Amino acid sequence: MSLAGSRSRPDGPARGRPRSEAVERAILEGVMKLLEDGVPLAELSIERVARTAGVGKATIYRRWSGKEELFIDVVRAAEPPDPELPGSSMRDDLVVLLENLRQRGLASRSSALLHNAHAQIKSNPRIWAAYHDNVIAPRRRLVIDVLRRGQRNGELRPDVDVELANDLFVGPILVRSVLRPGAHLPEGLAEQIVDTVLAGLRPVSSTAS
Amino acid sequence: MSLAGSRSRPDGPARGRPRSEAVERAILEGVMKLLEDGVPLAELSIERVARTAGVGKATIYRRWSGKEELFIDVVRAAEPPDPELPGSSMRDDLVVLLENLRQRGLASRSSALLHNAHAQIKSNPRIWAAYHDNVIAPRRRLVIDVLRRGQRNGELRPDVDVELANDLFVGPILVRSVLRPGAHLPEGLAEQIVDTVLAGLRPVSSTAS
Amino acid sequence: MSLAGSRSRPDGPARGRPRSEAVERAILEGVMKLLEDGVPLAELSIERVARTAGVGKATIYRRWSGKEELFIDVVRAAEPPDPELPGSSMRDDLVVLLENLRQRGLASRSSALLHNAHAQIKSNPRIWAAYHDNVIAPRRRLVIDVLRRGQRNGELRPDVDVELANDLFVGPILVRSVLRPGAHLPEGLAEQIVDTVLAGLRPVSSTAS
Amino acid sequence: MSLAGSRSRPDGPARGRPRSEAVERAILEGVMKLLEDGVPLAELSIERVARTAGVGKATIYRRWSGKEELFIDVVRAAEPPDPELPGSSMRDDLVVLLENLRQRGLASRSSALLHNAHAQIKSNPRIWAAYHDNVIAPRRRLVIDVLRRGQRNGELRPDVDVELANDLFVGPILVRSVLRPGAHLPEGLAEQIVDTVLAGLRPVSSTAS
DNA sequence: GCCTAACCGAGACGGTACGTCACGTCTTTTA
DNA sequence: TAAAAGACGTGACGTACCGTCTCGGTTAGGC
């Protein structure tokens, strides 16, 4: 399922007055402002968003089919870009990816805002599926690619289940940042997790080359 | 924060007609029935619960202060009991705890129902705090107690951060059962995780440089 | 078609909290107040009525199915009661009935208010039918009954078309009060019309008894 | 107040592309078509007229300031021309005028269409004034002129109030065609009314007491 | 065996938000 | 410059629930 359809006009050659990008930004910024101001997600009505952004309700409904679709775009707009991988080693790549994950759990916009929005998104299967396909899955793929490359390089035993390995790496971070928001995410956490799990995955004898 | 206040009468000697337990059950069962029938959480109004249970709205508000409090009780009623620990070894205790966690992710009531309710609960800080204190924290405490006992027994190095260790164990399970509902939770998963992480945490001699 | 259905509960024994008569009055008074304040009928939204009467929208919709039904009841509430007929003669009865008609065209509530509401009512066939059956037709019947009695008493030639006679009497008044609101409706108008039309209907020779 | 302003360009020498007369006709025809198709006046939006006529909304607003002004022009376009008076006698002229009135109440376009449009027009004082000045008043003036000529000719007593006489003649017709749309308007009605009322107004000797 | 306080169902109440529609204005492309 | 297309802010539509409040009618003790 694609999210690319959100916010787009039906199709055909652009006729009539084009949609204002300024209005678009105003709406997304309005939602972020409200979330950052601590407005509970349940009180975040389209009506209120429209008032805050100085926009008509219909202008919102013209772009998004409802509260949920709008939130997905807000979340996507707040997502930091994917990190650049150093490529020096599987271990270093994993540290960078996990460090990126750790920082998402700290960032101002990506914490209170995302945490609430995630809860909302998760409560609707259709939206969750869209969010998963567009945000979660690509990141997951990134980790798994790194792991597979490690297997080809001999940095990881080829018989290791990369799906499980992925969860062993990202699980400990996510359990803190998503399920226990506000939990301690100290600076060396990513390295610590990577090294510990790698030690468990790469038994002493097999790596004694 | 305590949840014990839910459902209780103000105080004083019981005067007047006592509250009907049958009505209480009917309400909780009504919510579960609706959730199991696939009603999206957002469409689960008090009004609808009352209709389903054949009960007046005031009868619900007499017991719970709102939708959220009611959901917490529904979730608690659906929670499986804590597992009994064998006590033979830290490793075995951990396997039992994680196995219990894995099965919660599979159980019918505890999957669709709980997953949705969790999302709702998480979106309200006050409710989340109550839920955390009454449901999450005790389980977490259980794991950490087992780890500390292991440290005293010599099964785990005493310098290991038990908080981090907890996340290394439970994170991989939760990331599948909560964040990726419907994910594969194969039978030997608990053992596999425990053994892998323990191998990483308790390096016999490889890190003794 | 009956209007008795407006404002009534479905049926059965009165269960639940009864509808407040005070609220009912507040709504009707609110509409009248707005109309008297010169609010154009087109700007008279249910939303505004609710605000004016200090009432929820649903409370209005619970009693009336829409703007039109509400207006009918407002009009009916503003209608003066049918006049008492002296019965001394057909001519005197007609004068009383026409005088009553003339005064409806002068009364404060029954002028601006009714004139606007009539326009609205007439623009909807369904509502017009209901209004006609419940308000217009009974008054028409009254005049025609008086004319028929006059025919039996010998005050009116038996071959006169009473339908046409009715229009000859009431038409001149209505054309002023309804189609030309604000027109002059001098005091002796009713008598003048009755006597003139009667003179035309009762040719000299036939009444020379 | 003049209606001449409707549909006119501000002023000055015609510059730029001239307005299309075809578009103008398409709009007026579109409104009539909708009204004849039984579309309730309340559902007749500018948006819908534009869709029906295949025209942009702005093109309508360029010509008329709103729904009401547009309707006046539609009504005027549907009005039949004033009748030619024979001039043989006051009585004959009155019969021709009333006959013309009677037929307006029968004509297809002038019945359902006009009846609804009238209701709309009457509900707006400004529009009503314009309609009155341009459509109603001239017809009224026509009747009164005929009556005055009759007084000069000796066909009508000079002390008769011509305003009242006018209402005695046109009231009975209008009460049927406007207030009771669909009422019976038989062929000889105009003559019948004129003769009856004239008999009442010109009592040869019966009232000369 | 009453009395009475609290319960129960039903549903009215003042609100808020929903998602749609039409308003009258505006901005764009095309002719 | 007109014309079509359609975006824009505004605000009413009728519906659904919110949480509170009355109703009539039931249960239980406590006297």
Side-chain angles (χ1 to χ4, degrees), chain D residues 45-47 57-58 61:
Chain D
S45 55
I46 290 282
E47 211 121 329
K57 279 199 295 176
Y61 282 109

mmCIF file of all heavy atoms in Angstrom, chain D residues 45-47 57-58 61, chain E residues 22-26 31:
data_model
loop_
_atom_site.group_PDB
_atom_site.id
_atom_site.type_symbol
_atom_site.label_atom_id
_atom_site.label_comp_id
_atom_site.label_asym_id
_atom_site.label_seq_id
_atom_site.Cartn_x
_atom_site.Cartn_y
_atom_site.Cartn_z
ATOM 1 N N SER D 45 -28.874 25.619 -6.126
ATOM 2 C CA SER D 45 -27.684 26.405 -5.790
ATOM 3 C C SER D 45 -27.028 26.949 -7.049
ATOM 4 O O SER D 45 -27.186 26.410 -8.140
ATOM 5 C CB SER D 45 -26.690 25.517 -5.044
ATOM 6 O OG SER D 45 -26.403 24.373 -5.802
ATOM 7 N N ILE D 46 -26.297 28.027 -6.873
ATOM 8 C CA ILE D 46 -25.521 28.593 -7.979
ATOM 9 C C ILE D 46 -24.577 27.529 -8.529
ATOM 10 O O ILE D 46 -24.399 27.386 -9.737
ATOM 11 C CB ILE D 46 -24.703 29.805 -7.475
ATOM 12 C CG1 ILE D 46 -25.644 30.969 -7.146
ATOM 13 C CG2 ILE D 46 -23.683 30.227 -8.521
ATOM 14 C CD1 ILE D 46 -26.133 31.738 -8.332
ATOM 15 N N GLU D 47 -24.021 26.754 -7.597
ATOM 16 C CA GLU D 47 -23.091 25.698 -7.998
ATOM 17 C C GLU D 47 -23.777 24.725 -8.959
ATOM 18 O O GLU D 47 -23.222 24.330 -9.988
ATOM 19 C CB GLU D 47 -22.622 24.948 -6.747
ATOM 20 C CG GLU D 47 -21.237 24.386 -6.837
ATOM 21 C CD GLU D 47 -20.316 24.943 -5.731
ATOM 22 O OE1 GLU D 47 -20.518 26.107 -5.311
ATOM 23 O OE2 GLU D 47 -19.414 24.236 -5.309
ATOM 24 N N LYS D 57 -18.689 29.211 -12.206
ATOM 25 C CA LYS D 57 -19.450 30.014 -11.246
ATOM 26 C C LYS D 57 -19.204 31.496 -11.449
ATOM 27 O O LYS D 57 -20.131 32.314 -11.410
ATOM 28 C CB LYS D 57 -19.074 29.619 -9.814
ATOM 29 C CG LYS D 57 -19.750 28.399 -9.318
ATOM 30 C CD LYS D 57 -19.693 28.332 -7.782
ATOM 31 C CE LYS D 57 -18.276 28.188 -7.285
ATOM 32 N NZ LYS D 57 -18.234 28.224 -5.800
ATOM 33 N N ALA D 58 -17.937 31.840 -11.676
ATOM 34 C CA ALA D 58 -17.592 33.253 -11.811
ATOM 35 C C ALA D 58 -18.351 33.908 -12.952
ATOM 36 O O ALA D 58 -18.674 35.096 -12.901
ATOM 37 C CB ALA D 58 -16.090 33.395 -12.023
ATOM 38 N N TYR D 61 -21.567 34.982 -11.511
ATOM 39 C CA TYR D 61 -21.419 36.113 -10.603
ATOM 40 C C TYR D 61 -21.018 37.388 -11.351
ATOM 41 O O TYR D 61 -21.197 38.488 -10.837
ATOM 42 C CB TYR D 61 -20.397 35.798 -9.506
ATOM 43 C CG TYR D 61 -20.966 34.916 -8.432
ATOM 44 C CD1 TYR D 61 -20.574 33.595 -8.302
ATOM 45 C CD2 TYR D 61 -21.926 35.395 -7.548
ATOM 46 C CE1 TYR D 61 -21.103 32.771 -7.319
ATOM 47 C CE2 TYR D 61 -22.466 34.584 -6.555
ATOM 48 C CZ TYR D 61 -22.046 33.276 -6.445
ATOM 49 O OH TYR D 61 -22.572 32.477 -5.478
ATOM 50 P P DA E 22 -24.419 21.142 -3.046
ATOM 51 O OP1 DA E 22 -25.782 20.780 -3.416
ATOM 52 O OP2 DA E 22 -23.257 20.714 -3.832
ATOM 53 O "O5'" DA E 22 -24.338 22.734 -2.907
ATOM 54 C "C5'" DA E 22 -25.300 23.391 -2.130
ATOM 55 C "C4'" DA E 22 -24.771 24.743 -1.697
ATOM 56 O "O4'" DA E 22 -23.640 24.539 -0.835
ATOM 57 C "C3'" DA E 22 -24.271 25.624 -2.850
ATOM 58 O "O3'" DA E 22 -25.151 26.740 -2.942
ATOM 59 C "C2'" DA E 22 -22.869 26.053 -2.435
ATOM 60 C "C1'" DA E 22 -22.773 25.625 -0.970
ATOM 61 N N9 DA E 22 -21.444 25.147 -0.589
ATOM 62 C C8 DA E 22 -20.773 24.074 -1.101
ATOM 63 N N7 DA E 22 -19.588 23.875 -0.559
ATOM 64 C C5 DA E 22 -19.485 24.896 0.361
ATOM 65 C C6 DA E 22 -18.459 25.258 1.252
ATOM 66 N N6 DA E 22 -17.304 24.584 1.370
ATOM 67 N N1 DA E 22 -18.658 26.332 2.040
ATOM 68 C C2 DA E 22 -19.815 26.999 1.921
ATOM 69 N N3 DA E 22 -20.844 26.766 1.126
ATOM 70 C C4 DA E 22 -20.611 25.685 0.362
ATOM 71 P P DC E 23 -24.862 27.936 -3.947
ATOM 72 O OP1 DC E 23 -26.161 28.537 -4.283
ATOM 73 O OP2 DC E 23 -23.948 27.454 -4.995
ATOM 74 O "O5'" DC E 23 -24.080 28.967 -3.036
ATOM 75 C "C5'" DC E 23 -24.727 29.464 -1.861
ATOM 76 C "C4'" DC E 23 -23.752 30.281 -1.052
ATOM 77 O "O4'" DC E 23 -22.674 29.427 -0.628
ATOM 78 C "C3'" DC E 23 -23.076 31.398 -1.840
ATOM 79 O "O3'" DC E 23 -23.793 32.606 -1.622
ATOM 80 C "C2'" DC E 23 -21.669 31.487 -1.256
ATOM 81 C "C1'" DC E 23 -21.519 30.207 -0.442
ATOM 82 N N1 DC E 23 -20.376 29.325 -0.811
ATOM 83 C C2 DC E 23 -19.174 29.450 -0.128
ATOM 84 O O2 DC E 23 -19.066 30.327 0.741
ATOM 85 N N3 DC E 23 -18.144 28.616 -0.435
ATOM 86 C C4 DC E 23 -18.312 27.685 -1.382
ATOM 87 N N4 DC E 23 -17.275 26.875 -1.638
ATOM 88 C C5 DC E 23 -19.532 27.548 -2.093
ATOM 89 C C6 DC E 23 -20.523 28.388 -1.781
ATOM 90 P P DG E 24 -23.974 33.686 -2.760
ATOM 91 O OP1 DG E 24 -24.879 34.734 -2.295
ATOM 92 O OP2 DG E 24 -24.232 32.958 -4.005
ATOM 93 O "O5'" DG E 24 -22.512 34.306 -2.852
ATOM 94 C "C5'" DG E 24 -22.115 35.211 -1.813
ATOM 95 C "C4'" DG E 24 -20.630 35.463 -1.908
ATOM 96 O "O4'" DG E 24 -19.923 34.208 -1.850
ATOM 97 C "C3'" DG E 24 -20.188 36.127 -3.230
ATOM 98 O "O3'" DG E 24 -19.243 37.148 -2.921
ATOM 99 C "C2'" DG E 24 -19.554 34.983 -3.989
ATOM 100 C "C1'" DG E 24 -18.933 34.198 -2.834
ATOM 101 N N9 DG E 24 -18.616 32.824 -3.200
ATOM 102 C C8 DG E 24 -19.364 31.961 -3.964
ATOM 103 N N7 DG E 24 -18.799 30.794 -4.144
ATOM 104 C C5 DG E 24 -17.602 30.892 -3.460
ATOM 105 C C6 DG E 24 -16.567 29.953 -3.289
ATOM 106 O O6 DG E 24 -16.494 28.810 -3.736
ATOM 107 N N1 DG E 24 -15.525 30.465 -2.519
ATOM 108 C C2 DG E 24 -15.495 31.723 -1.976
ATOM 109 N N2 DG E 24 -14.416 32.048 -1.257
ATOM 110 N N3 DG E 24 -16.455 32.615 -2.117
ATOM 111 C C4 DG E 24 -17.480 32.132 -2.872
ATOM 112 P P DT E 25 -18.457 37.984 -4.016
ATOM 113 O OP1 DT E 25 -18.536 39.399 -3.590
ATOM 114 O OP2 DT E 25 -18.913 37.566 -5.350
ATOM 115 O "O5'" DT E 25 -16.946 37.492 -3.836
ATOM 116 C "C5'" DT E 25 -16.364 37.539 -2.542
ATOM 117 C "C4'" DT E 25 -14.936 37.004 -2.602
ATOM 118 O "O4'" DT E 25 -14.939 35.589 -2.889
ATOM 119 C "C3'" DT E 25 -14.065 37.661 -3.687
ATOM 120 O "O3'" DT E 25 -12.833 38.037 -3.087
ATOM 121 C "C2'" DT E 25 -13.914 36.551 -4.721
ATOM 122 C "C1'" DT E 25 -13.965 35.299 -3.860
ATOM 123 N N1 DT E 25 -14.372 34.073 -4.574
ATOM 124 C C2 DT E 25 -13.577 32.964 -4.549
ATOM 125 O O2 DT E 25 -12.514 32.930 -3.950
ATOM 126 N N3 DT E 25 -14.049 31.880 -5.245
ATOM 127 C C4 DT E 25 -15.230 31.808 -5.960
ATOM 128 O O4 DT E 25 -15.537 30.778 -6.541
ATOM 129 C C5 DT E 25 -16.021 33.004 -5.946
ATOM 130 C C7 DT E 25 -17.317 33.026 -6.694
ATOM 131 C C6 DT E 25 -15.572 34.065 -5.268
ATOM 132 P P DC E 26 -11.716 38.858 -3.936
ATOM 133 O OP1 DC E 26 -10.935 39.653 -2.969
ATOM 134 O OP2 DC E 26 -12.371 39.468 -5.106
ATOM 135 O "O5'" DC E 26 -10.763 37.657 -4.483
ATOM 136 C "C5'" DC E 26 -9.758 37.105 -3.641
ATOM 137 C "C4'" DC E 26 -9.064 35.961 -4.369
ATOM 138 O "O4'" DC E 26 -10.043 34.936 -4.650
ATOM 139 C "C3'" DC E 26 -8.511 36.328 -5.745
ATOM 140 O "O3'" DC E 26 -7.219 36.928 -5.716
ATOM 141 C "C2'" DC E 26 -8.543 34.991 -6.481
ATOM 142 C "C1'" DC E 26 -9.613 34.171 -5.755
ATOM 143 N N1 DC E 26 -10.793 33.854 -6.616
ATOM 144 C C2 DC E 26 -10.912 32.582 -7.171
ATOM 145 O O2 DC E 26 -10.019 31.754 -6.915
ATOM 146 N N3 DC E 26 -11.960 32.278 -7.965
ATOM 147 C C4 DC E 26 -12.887 33.208 -8.207
ATOM 148 N N4 DC E 26 -13.910 32.845 -8.988
ATOM 149 C C5 DC E 26 -12.794 34.512 -7.668
ATOM 150 C C6 DC E 26 -11.733 34.801 -6.886
ATOM 151 P P DA E 31 -6.782 26.008 -25.651
ATOM 152 O OP1 DA E 31 -7.524 24.816 -26.105
ATOM 153 O OP2 DA E 31 -5.372 26.245 -26.021
ATOM 154 O "O5'" DA E 31 -7.629 27.291 -26.066
ATOM 155 C "C5'" DA E 31 -9.027 27.297 -25.770
ATOM 156 C "C4'" DA E 31 -9.564 28.660 -26.102
ATOM 157 O "O4'" DA E 31 -8.938 29.640 -25.246
ATOM 158 C "C3'" DA E 31 -9.302 29.115 -27.539
ATOM 159 O "O3'" DA E 31 -10.550 29.459 -28.136
ATOM 160 C "C2'" DA E 31 -8.395 30.320 -27.411
ATOM 161 C "C1'" DA E 31 -8.719 30.808 -26.003
ATOM 162 N N9 DA E 31 -7.634 31.538 -25.342
ATOM 163 C C8 DA E 31 -6.333 31.159 -25.190
ATOM 164 N N7 DA E 31 -5.592 32.025 -24.548
ATOM 165 C C5 DA E 31 -6.473 33.064 -24.257
ATOM 166 C C6 DA E 31 -6.309 34.292 -23.596
ATOM 167 N N6 DA E 31 -5.148 34.702 -23.080
ATOM 168 N N1 DA E 31 -7.400 35.081 -23.480
ATOM 169 C C2 DA E 31 -8.562 34.668 -23.997
ATOM 170 N N3 DA E 31 -8.836 33.535 -24.643
ATOM 171 C C4 DA E 31 -7.737 32.772 -24.742
#
